[in-house]
Amino acid sequence: MPADPLAIARDLIRCPSVTPAEGGALAYLAGVLERAGFTVHREIFREPGADDVENLYARIGSGGPHLVFAGHTDVVPPGDEAAWTHPPFAAEIADGALFGRGAADMKGAIACKLAAVLDYLAACGGKPKGSISFLITGDEEGIAVNGTIKLLKWVAVRGEKFDHCILGEPTNPHALGDMIKIGRRGSLNGTLVVTGTQGHVAYPALADNPVRGIVALIGALMVEPLDAGSAHFDPSNLEFTSVDVGNKTVNIIPGEARARFNIRYNDHHTRDDLKALIERRAAAAAGGRVRWHIAWEPSNSDVFLTKPGVFVDLVAAAVREVTGRTPELSTSGGTSDARFIKNYCPVIEFGLANQTMHKVDERVPTADLAALTAIYGRILERYFVPGAVRE
Ligand SMILES: [Zn+2]
């Protein structure tokens, strides 16, 4: 009898695993995976000032190629539970959809991966023609310091090596089959600080108003495009998110002005090149008249691209065969744990539709759970055909 992704998804949704709580979700996965022959590790990671978080790594098989399914069982809080048509952790089915927090992001996709793997193992006598792993964190929706970053390091120390990864984030804007993510833009935050000289507003010659300088610099940084986009990315974009002087007094020229900004950048830039470019442009606009500096915030969100090739083609073909639709290969949207995984192996993201994620009445059509399981199943069948994923 084939594994039932709907039943697995319901079991997972009934585990109230709001970050950082494990909620029983990883224990449930561990039980199913152990019974299927996986070697399962459950690791708790700690960091001063952050909550302890449990994570799971499970592997079956010892040879290559090695395909890892990544994801997270933690969910965002339900918000006002009374606003839900069906309780957020009850996993009720109505109007052809499974309701519950995490249905789309991303317990539904984890259930599909698990069902597809169980079916694949049943078909090959419990022994894959390579290795299959699950890399599941409980710290994706929070500050993500005790999750995938540390789990990947822990796995690497054990000598584990992956050939490819599929992360099950909900990637489809409208319907299953819309979109595979093959990369993500980088993200960088900074604060532009302009220093002036405080003084009486009636005696401007005795002061130096930093507002004048910061307006000039903001204008210069906003007006000139960072690039025109690339083969797989939209143009990079700098967006000011806050301009702050904090002066409550009407007769004082302030001594300092600050403006925060975020840059989403593509593969024309590295983080350091981009910082240098912004500082050159600010310096040109300042022209030696404005005293300024930029405080850059630490970032672990570098741009990356998994180049289209045999692996991306294999996944896209599976999506097309099951849904009848050709998925767009996209690098749009925010960051995800793929930004950490890409340091270990090529990674793509494909999961459910994302219209209801993080919302009240999060839900997924039950038909999509069956279809996504079929997609992951086809990927498994093809992936382990000898030579199939050799570039
Ligand atoms: Zn997610």
Side-chain angles (χ1 to χ4, degrees):
M1 207 174 67
D4 182 359
L6 178 59
I8 298 171
R10 297 184 81 183
D11 287 341
L12 284 172
I13 288 170
R14 289 181 182 130
C15 301
S17 51
V18 175
T19 324
E22 184 270 336
L26 293 177
Y28 172 83
L29 286 182
V32 176
L33 289 166
E34 266 163 10
R35 282 194 293 282
F38 278 78
T39 304
V40 180
H41 305 270
R42 293 169 67 186
E43 292 298 314
I44 294 175
F45 296 125
R46 300 180 162 85
E47 184 85 24
D51 293 301
D52 296 355
V53 184
E54 186 169 337
N55 301 268
L56 179 148
Y57 176 68
R59 174 173 178 165
I60 190 167
S62 53
H66 187 175
L67 178 63
V68 56
F69 287 108
H72 62 88
T73 49
D74 61 322
V75 294
V76 295
D80 177 11
E81 297 201 23
W84 287 66
T85 310
H86 307 280
F89 300 107
E92 288 180 16
I93 298 165
D95 306 322
L98 170 62
F99 283 71
R101 178 56 83 224
D105 185 10
M106 56 170 282
K107 288 174 169 174
I110 289 179
C112 296
K113 289 174 167 182
L114 188 53
V117 168
L118 294 176
D119 289 346
Y120 174 78
L121 290 174
C124 66
K127 288 192 170 52
K129 295 195 194 76
S131 298
I132 304 169
S133 292
F134 282 85
L135 185 92
I136 308 292
T137 180
D139 191 20
E140 200 273 343
E141 302 286 10
I143 53 173
V145 298
N146 284 321
T148 298
I149 284 188
K150 286 189 179 169
L151 189 57
L152 284 163
K153 281 195 187 125
W154 182 88
V155 165
V157 165
R158 294 174 45 84
E160 301 274 330
K161 288 202 166 51
F162 308 122
D163 291 297
H164 300 92
C165 177
I166 299 174
L167 177 60
E169 288 293 344
T171 47
N172 300 285
H174 305 289
L176 198 68
D178 285 339
M179 187 178 283
I180 297 172
K181 298 244 169 129
I182 58 167
R184 295 274 185 156
R185 294 178 295 178
S187 175
L188 184 60
N189 289 303
T191 301
L192 171 65
V193 183
V194 171
T195 310
T197 305
Q198 186 180 314
H200 195 299
V201 77
Y203 299 88
L206 301 176
D208 172 17
N209 193 342
V211 172
R212 198 168 281 119
I214 206 162
V215 166
L217 267 56
I218 288 173
L221 293 177
M222 284 197 301
V223 75
E224 205 174 338
L226 292 166
D227 54 66
S230 67
H232 295 286
F233 286 87
D234 287 334
S236 302
N237 182 56
L238 181 152
E239 211 58 43
F240 278 93
T241 53
S242 182
V243 181
D244 307 290
V245 177
N247 181 12
K248 304 238 186 316
T249 314
V250 294
N251 59 358
I252 285 179
I253 290 172
E256 186 181 90
R258 296 174 159 257
R260 281 192 93 188
F261 58 91
N262 173 267
I263 306 173
R264 296 295 160 122
Y265 62 95
N266 61 32
D267 54 352
H268 279 305
H269 310 272
T270 66
R271 202 189 304 161
D272 289 337
D273 292 350
L274 188 61
K275 288 180 184 175
L277 173 66
I278 298 301
E279 296 194 351
R280 273 200 309 280
R281 289 185 179 182
R289 296 177 300 276
V290 179
R291 285 176 287 160
W292 66 277
H293 71 272
I294 293 173
W296 297 103
E297 293 173 28
S299 166
N300 55 17
S301 304
D302 268 329
V303 58
F304 77 93
L305 175 72
T306 297
K307 288 213 174 67
V310 291
F311 179 60
V312 173
D313 288 350
L314 185 151
V315 174
V319 172
R320 195 162 46 237
E321 286 162 16
V322 172
T323 66
R325 311 174 66 223
T326 299
E328 180 188 345
L329 305 180
S330 172
T331 56
S332 61
T335 62
S336 74
D337 275 356
R339 71 189 191 274
F340 307 130
I341 299 168
K342 67 103 168 53
N343 296 330
Y344 296 82
C345 70
V347 52
I348 62 99
E349 299 171 67
F350 185 74
L352 293 161
N354 61 24
Q355 299 106 319
T356 65
M357 63 178 177
H358 294 209
K359 291 186 179 173
V360 163
D361 281 346
E362 180 175 350
R363 62 195 178 276
V364 59
T366 56
D368 281 7
L369 294 174
L372 184 57
T373 302
I375 291 168
Y376 290 145
R378 271 172 194 256
I379 292 170
L380 284 162
E381 277 168 28
R382 305 273 168 81
Y383 188 86
F384 291 107
V385 171
V389 288
R390 218 166 287 144
E391 295 282 352

